Amino acid sequence: MIDTRFPSRKGQVLVLCAPSGTGKSTLVKSLRGEFAEVGFSISCTTREPRQGEAHGREYYFLSVEEFKTKRDAGEFAEWAEVHGNFYGTPKKPVEKMLFKGMDILFDIDFQGAMQLMETMSDGIFVFLMPPSYSELKARLEGRNTDSAEVIGRRLRNAMSEMASAPQFEYWIVNDDLDKAYSELRSIYLAGKNRPCTNPGLLESILSTWE
Ligand code: 5GP
């Protein structure tokens, strides 16, 4: 549902970034479940679908050639190579959702987030951290979705992902899922009250002055 109190409200961009296994997908699901006005950007990827994933729902699963063709045609708002696969955000759906005044949640890696910091500077950039390395390792091993080799690579990459945290506006430590969600929710809601998401609001109220 779009906020009809202020018809000129602009959709806000919320970027959530985290090392894989930090609990990002769960938080994304919770925010989308609670707020119908939060659209989600479905990315393209060259990685293999995991069990239960569907083309066009979690991702658009593309071959490397298909991905490169789209990338070279400028169809991505950002793209990056993550854990040995390509990932990219299709530009058009994002533009459409923002035009309709919907908010958009991006679940992307730090390289992509840094590209969006340049082009979507009004966005809210949140970095989610695990409480410790051992906790991250236990979570990745416990979810039983990836091979030992994939888990090893994701753990090695987590270090450089953590090193990007100072570029982000907000940090959330996921040591307790409910607390982490409540923090993300507060950041999202506070974003709705920024002047940049409400262009025209001040003017419309001032126009009522005698
Ligand atoms: P997974 O393969 O576990 O779904 O995602 C691996 C990583 O790729 C996650 O950190 C996820 O946020 C990131 N990712 C997913 N989609 C995109 C995208 O469109 N662009 C970028 N840069 N990263 C993405």
Side-chain angles (χ1 to χ4, degrees):
M1 199 180 59
I2 292 166
D3 192 338
T4 49
R5 285 172 305 158
F6 307 120
S8 66
R9 206 180 90 74
K10 258 175 60 182
Q12 66 171 328
V13 165
L14 181 64
V15 179
L16 186 60
C17 198
S20 142
T22 311
K24 193 169 42 166
S25 315
T26 312
L27 293 181
V28 165
K29 230 172 155 183
S30 301
L31 198 74
R32 292 186 64 205
E34 183 173 356
F35 299 99
E37 69 269 35
V38 178
F40 184 67
S41 162
I42 302 171
S43 299
C44 295
T45 183
T46 59
R47 87 149 159 72
E48 290 296 313
R50 297 190 185 118
Q51 205 171 9
E53 287 183 332
H55 182 78
R57 192 177 64 202
E58 282 78 15
Y59 284 105
Y60 297 107
F61 295 98
L62 306 180
S63 67
V64 172
E65 292 67 35
E66 286 168 331
F67 188 96
K68 286 185 172 168
T69 304
K70 285 185 182 294
R71 178 195 66 186
D72 297 345
E75 289 184 27
F76 294 132
E78 61 71 38
W79 69 274
E81 192 174 345
V82 189
H83 312 311
N85 292 299
F86 290 117
Y87 293 81
T89 301
K91 237 186 231 170
K92 278 219 174 97
V94 169
E95 286 168 355
K96 269 194 198 154
M97 284 191 271
L98 287 177
F99 183 74
K100 284 200 238 162
M102 284 179 80
D103 298 327
I104 311 185
L105 183 55
F106 291 87
D107 169 349
I108 59 175
D109 92 309
F110 74 98
Q111 307 167 80
M114 287 184 188
Q115 293 168 47
L116 294 189
M117 283 176 197
E118 298 293 321
T119 53
M120 298 186 178
S121 53
D122 282 345
I124 301 177
F125 293 84
V126 180
F127 194 89
L128 180 71
M129 307 182 194
S132 66
Y133 175 80
S134 57
E135 184 65 26
L136 181 66
K137 187 165 181 280
R139 285 187 199 169
L140 278 174
E141 288 170 350
R143 68 183 189 183
N144 277 330
T145 49
D146 297 304
S147 65
E149 188 202 330
V150 168
I151 292 175
R153 183 162 44 197
R154 288 182 178 224
L155 280 171
R156 283 191 300 280
N157 290 348
M159 186 67 185
S160 48
E161 293 173 275
M162 291 294 288
S164 75
Q167 315 289 326
F168 288 73
E169 212 178 342
Y170 292 99
W171 291 349
I172 297 177
V173 178
N174 188 8
D175 48 359
D176 174 284
L177 198 59
D178 289 342
K179 181 173 129 303
Y181 179 62
S182 135
E183 290 173 4
L184 179 65
R185 187 180 186 279
S186 305
I187 293 168
Y188 166 67
L189 288 175
K192 287 179 179 285
N193 288 62
R194 294 180 307 161
C196 63
T197 30
N198 295 284
L201 173 64
L202 180 64
E203 237 171 54
S204 82
I205 293 178
L206 285 178
S207 71
T208 66
W209 249 244
E210 293 282 295

